[in-house]
Amino acid sequence: MAEHTVKAFDEDITRLRGLIAEMGGLAELSIQESLEAMIKGDEDLADGVVVRDKKIDALESEVDKLAVRIIALRAPMADDLREVIAALKIAGVVERIGDYSKNIAKRVGKIEARKHFEPLTLLPAMGDIAAEMVHDVLTAYAARDPVLALEVIATDDKVDAFYNSIFRNVVSYMMENPATISSAAQILFVARNLERIGDHATNVAEMVHFAATGNYPPDDR
Amino acid sequence: MAEHTVKAFDEDITRLRGLIAEMGGLAELSIQESLEAMIKGDEDLADGVVVRDKKIDALESEVDKLAVRIIALRAPMADDLREVIAALKIAGVVERIGDYSKNIAKRVGKIEARKHFEPLTLLPAMGDIAAEMVHDVLTAYAARDPVLALEVIATDDKVDAFYNSIFRNVVSYMMENPATISSAAQILFVARNLERIGDHATNVAEMVHFAATGNYPPDDR
């Protein structure tokens, strides 16, 4: 490519990475706020998460459009092309992470007698780890850092362990407090959504590792 | 586009869809064979699943390359462009589904005293549903059928219910048979992988629904 084209390509890629960083920042905030809304019963905060999801979707569309324009106008090859394709796929996964937070937010009104409902106290620590995974994997993407990507993949085990522990706790609680079963079921759905966020952050981490090293991480997990 | 260009575009899209159908067929077969290998302890069959995963990865690369060529050469607009982008993202998710089967296959050698190990009997029905979801979602993609896509999304609840039931069963089994804990933990990993396959099939179903109707399905799940 001629020098001015290389510069234009670099600017496009920087913008593409910026859009994905913005998506990731919003997705991370939505995880935290959907959990906060769930714990406090704050339906306004929950509505804000639902509204923000439209912004995340719109950013995915922008990533798609820009990626297509880069391919059509700049005809990138090899590593550059792989980077554009990776951006398209990562944006799809981050959009999906946003969906899980929206799904949590939409359950906020479904919990009854919130003040005395112990299982709620199990969620924040799991939510923090899931949000941290999303934060770290986007940092790894921005810095093309395969080592941090591997750390994100390792953290997924903690999210899984939390899920298993919450599942056992909530099932016991249901048996002891049958009147709360429908609220308790909501907690399981929330924990499941957090577990899926961890899984999707792991997917992104694998793509980041591949983009940075040309290899997928060893899958002995 | 001139008429001959339209025809060339249609041929490219047909080939793109064909590659994804081929990926989906292999992914479905790998779910079934990884489970069969797990239940019979057939390590050769398991090795076949691992080898097949490389073929799935190679097909994803082909989808990526062809999609890029279509964008660069045919400059598709609107619906046509959306279809190409959807193909790229769907191929990424199907590749991931293949990874989960490979992960199951790699655990085949880790189960001890297989003949008398009851928890294994819990897996085939769950595997059948997950494989059916993958089959149906690719059928929905090929037929651009939003109704079948919604059915796939509804089926995910069954996979989740299986996972919960297997989880409870295996944990009870572990408590009664502490000597088998490490084998039993493998069953939990397999069930978790099947649950993730169901989740990813659901993702694809949502993309198919969007491509066919312009709307994402209502997320009251």
Side-chain angles (χ1 to χ4, degrees):
Chain A
M1 284 193 273
E3 200 183 315
H4 72 280
T5 320
V6 171
K7 184 154 175 282
F9 177 79
D10 286 347
E11 282 170 8
D12 282 346
I13 286 285
T14 301
R15 171 141 174 70
L16 200 56
R17 299 177 78 93
L19 288 169
I20 289 177
E22 194 181 346
M23 287 183 79
L26 295 179
E28 189 189 341
L29 189 60
S30 282
I31 298 170
Q32 289 161 335
E33 289 192 357
S34 66
L35 265 284
E36 191 186 334
M38 178 57 79
I39 287 148
K40 294 184 179 163
D42 184 338
E43 299 201 29
D44 290 338
L45 192 60
D47 289 344
V49 171
V50 174
V51 170
R52 184 181 300 121
D53 194 56
K54 288 195 204 307
K55 174 72 183 158
I56 296 175
D57 293 354
L59 282 167
E60 186 194 11
S61 275
E62 268 196 73
V63 168
D64 289 359
K65 273 182 215 150
L66 180 56
V68 164
R69 219 183 57 196
I70 295 173
I71 293 169
L73 292 185
R74 317 263 179 241
M77 305 287 287
D79 286 357
D80 290 339
L81 181 56
R82 246 197 306 282
E83 165 128 26
V84 177
I85 300 282
L88 271 171
K89 296 191 179 184
I90 289 173
V93 180
V94 175
E95 184 277 326
R96 185 81 193 163
I97 289 174
D99 281 350
Y100 292 120
S101 293
K102 181 177 70 175
N103 194 285
I104 292 172
K106 287 191 168 179
R107 295 179 186 280
V108 166
K110 296 184 179 170
I111 307 275
E112 287 163 16
R114 189 176 300 268
K115 274 194 191 155
H116 308 291
F117 190 56
E118 290 166 37
L120 274 172
T121 61
L122 302 167
L123 293 173
M126 186 178 181
D128 287 346
I129 296 179
E132 185 192 312
M133 283 178 78
V134 172
H135 179 267
D136 286 353
V137 81
L138 271 295
T139 303
Y141 171 66
R144 306 170 200 222
D145 181 345
V147 177
L148 184 54
L150 288 178
E151 283 173 25
V152 171
I153 293 170
T155 307
D156 198 35
D157 287 345
K158 279 196 219 166
V159 173
D160 289 355
F162 256 105
Y163 178 76
N164 291 342
S165 155
I166 289 176
F167 184 87
R168 280 192 302 261
N169 258 289
V170 172
V171 170
S172 307
Y173 190 89
M174 283 171 160
M175 289 190 290
E176 289 159 20
N177 306 276
T180 67
I181 279 179
S182 84
S183 290
Q186 298 298 324
I187 304 295
L188 290 183
F189 284 120
V190 172
R192 170 68 51 94
N193 282 330
L194 292 174
E195 189 263 321
R196 284 173 170 181
I197 287 171
D199 190 37
H200 281 70
T202 302
N203 292 13
V204 175
E206 292 184 1
M207 294 185 220
V208 169
H209 191 277
F210 181 78
T213 66
N215 294 304
Y216 282 103
D219 59 357
D220 51 359
R221 308 179 281 133
Chain B
M1 284 191 274
E3 198 182 318
H4 71 280
T5 320
V6 172
K7 183 153 176 282
F9 177 79
D10 287 346
E11 283 170 7
D12 281 346
I13 286 286
T14 302
R15 172 140 174 71
L16 201 56
R17 298 177 79 92
L19 288 170
I20 289 176
E22 193 180 347
M23 285 182 81
L26 295 180
E28 188 190 342
L29 189 60
S30 282
I31 298 170
Q32 290 161 333
E33 289 191 358
S34 66
L35 264 285
E36 191 185 334
M38 179 57 78
I39 287 147
K40 292 183 180 164
D42 184 337
E43 299 201 29
D44 289 339
L45 192 58
D47 289 344
V49 171
V50 174
V51 170
R52 184 182 300 120
D53 193 56
K54 288 194 203 306
K55 173 74 182 155
I56 296 175
D57 292 353
L59 282 166
E60 186 195 11
S61 277
E62 268 196 72
V63 168
D64 289 358
K65 273 183 214 150
L66 180 55
V68 164
R69 220 183 56 198
I70 294 173
I71 294 170
L73 292 185
R74 316 264 179 241
M77 305 286 287
D79 286 358
D80 290 340
L81 181 56
R82 248 197 306 282
E83 165 128 27
V84 177
I85 300 283
L88 270 172
K89 295 190 179 183
I90 291 172
V93 181
V94 176
E95 184 276 327
R96 186 79 192 163
I97 290 174
D99 282 349
Y100 292 120
S101 294
K102 181 177 70 173
N103 194 285
I104 293 172
K106 287 190 168 180
R107 295 179 186 279
V108 166
K110 296 184 179 169
I111 308 274
E112 286 164 16
R114 188 174 303 269
K115 274 193 188 154
H116 307 290
F117 190 55
E118 290 165 36
L120 274 172
T121 60
L122 302 166
L123 293 173
M126 184 177 182
D128 286 347
I129 297 180
E132 187 192 311
M133 284 179 76
V134 173
H135 179 267
D136 286 353
V137 82
L138 272 296
T139 303
Y141 171 67
R144 304 170 201 222
D145 181 344
V147 177
L148 184 55
L150 288 178
E151 283 173 26
V152 171
I153 293 169
T155 307
D156 197 34
D157 287 345
K158 278 197 221 167
V159 173
D160 289 353
F162 256 108
Y163 178 75
N164 291 342
S165 153
I166 288 175
F167 184 87
R168 280 192 303 262
N169 259 288
V170 171
V171 170
S172 308
Y173 190 89
M174 282 171 160
M175 290 190 290
E176 288 159 20
N177 304 275
T180 67
I181 280 180
S182 84
S183 290
Q186 299 299 323
I187 303 297
L188 290 184
F189 285 120
V190 172
R192 169 68 50 95
N193 282 330
L194 292 174
E195 188 265 318
R196 286 173 168 179
I197 287 171
D199 189 38
H200 281 71
T202 301
N203 291 12
V204 175
E206 293 183 1
M207 294 185 220
V208 169
H209 191 277
F210 181 79
T213 66
N215 295 304
Y216 281 103
D219 57 357
D220 52 358
R221 309 181 280 134

